[in-house]
Structure formats: structure tokens, C-alpha cells
Amino acid sequence: MATDTHAAEAASAPGMPQLDFTNWGNQIFWLLVTLVVIYVVLSRIALPRIAAVLAERQGTITNDIAKAEELKAQAVEAEEAYNKALADARAEASRIVAETKAEIQADLDAATAKADAEIAAKAAESEKAIAEIRAGAVESVQAVATDTASQIVAALGGKADAKAVKAAVTERMKG
């Protein structure tokens, strides 16, 4: 029977102590104390640390954004400086090309003038040589004509006077 009494006592006692209405006052008190302690610990220790971490992160983000803006401005300035340097280099290259073209044109003009002068000198020499050849040819033609006329007169049986033949040939050569 001892087991029966033990079973009866267990049956009359509530199953979970949290559900025993006689202990609810103590449980509510300790619940409130625990909640107050948790609130104090969170509000005084944990939440300030979390707030500090969040503030630090926000500061880091703000600093990074400011630094990014500064680097962007520097990049824009560098791009402008690069474009200006490129434009200056192109202008300098154009100036150098123009100077080089002018120098080449001046050299070409000088070489052309020198060639023209040489051609003119050679043409003058050629004309002089042609004039000498003409003069020599005229003299040769006159000498041949004089000899031929003298021989023709002699062949015809006449006596040719050298002065008269020469005068006749000269007169005929004038036109």
C-alpha cells in the first residue's frame, strides 16, 4: 500500500511548478526583477556598445564617401590635365610639322633655284656652243661654196678671180 499512497500524493500535486497558482506571486516578482536587470544590463552596457559600433561604422562610411568624392575630384582634375597636355602636345606637333614643312619648302625652293641657275648656265653654254658651231658651219659652208664655185668656173673653162668668187658667195649667203 505504500505505493498506493505515493501514487495518490503524486496525483494530488500539480505537474509543473510554474503552473502552481500558489507560487505565482513569487514567480511574477522574480520575473519583474529579472526583466529589470536585463533592461539595466542592456541599456547601460550592451546598447551603448552597439550604438558606439554603429556610430563608428557610420563615421567610417562617411569618411570613405568623403574620400571617394575627393578622389573623384582628383581624377576629374587629372583627366582635365591629361586632356590639356594632349591638346598642347597636338598643338606642338602641329607647330613642328608646320615648321618642318616650311624648312623643307625653303630647302626645295633653294634647290629649285640652284637647279634653275645650273640649267640656265648650261643652256647659255649650249647656246654659245651652238652659236660657235653655226659660225663654224657658216665659215665652212662659205669655204666649201667658194671652192666649189672656183672649181665650177674652172671646169667651165673660165678663170675665176678669188676675190670675185668670194664676194659673190658672201653676197649670196646674206640672202
Side-chain angles (χ1 to χ4, degrees):
M1 288 250 172
T3 48
D4 286 336
T5 50
H6 192 284
E9 283 179 15
S12 67
M16 292 180 62
Q18 293 90 350
L19 300 177
D20 187 11
F21 289 112
T22 58
N23 293 332
W24 273 23
N26 274 344
Q27 289 178 6
I28 291 174
F29 171 75
W30 286 111
L31 175 66
L32 291 176
V33 168
T34 305
L35 288 176
V36 167
V37 168
I38 290 173
Y39 175 76
V40 168
V41 167
L42 285 177
S43 67
R44 303 284 182 200
I45 297 171
L47 290 178
R49 287 183 184 171
I50 292 171
V53 169
L54 290 176
E56 182 181 340
R57 282 185 182 177
Q58 185 63 37
T60 301
I61 290 170
T62 304
N63 289 340
D64 288 347
I65 289 173
K67 189 171 185 179
E69 290 293 329
E70 180 180 323
L71 290 175
K72 183 180 177 183
Q74 289 176 354
V76 168
E77 289 174 6
E79 182 181 11
E80 289 173 357
Y82 169 76
N83 288 335
K84 184 180 182 298
L86 185 61
D88 291 345
R90 284 184 179 154
E92 181 68 16
S94 296
R95 185 188 62 78
I96 290 171
V97 166
E99 286 178 2
T100 304
K101 280 183 180 179
E103 289 175 6
I104 290 172
Q105 188 62 41
D107 291 346
L108 182 63
D109 291 343
T112 303
K114 182 179 177 184
D116 287 344
E118 288 176 4
I119 290 171
K122 286 186 180 187
E125 287 177 19
S126 297
E127 287 179 16
K128 183 179 175 185
I130 290 171
E132 288 176 3
I133 290 171
R134 271 191 191 149
V138 168
E139 288 175 11
S140 295
V141 167
Q142 193 172 14
V144 168
T146 304
D147 287 342
T148 304
S150 295
Q151 287 177 3
I152 290 174
V153 169
L156 291 175
K159 184 168 177 169
D161 181 18
K163 282 186 176 183
V165 172
K166 191 171 185 178
V169 169
T170 306
E171 185 68 29
R172 187 68 183 161
M173 289 194 61
K174 285 183 182 178

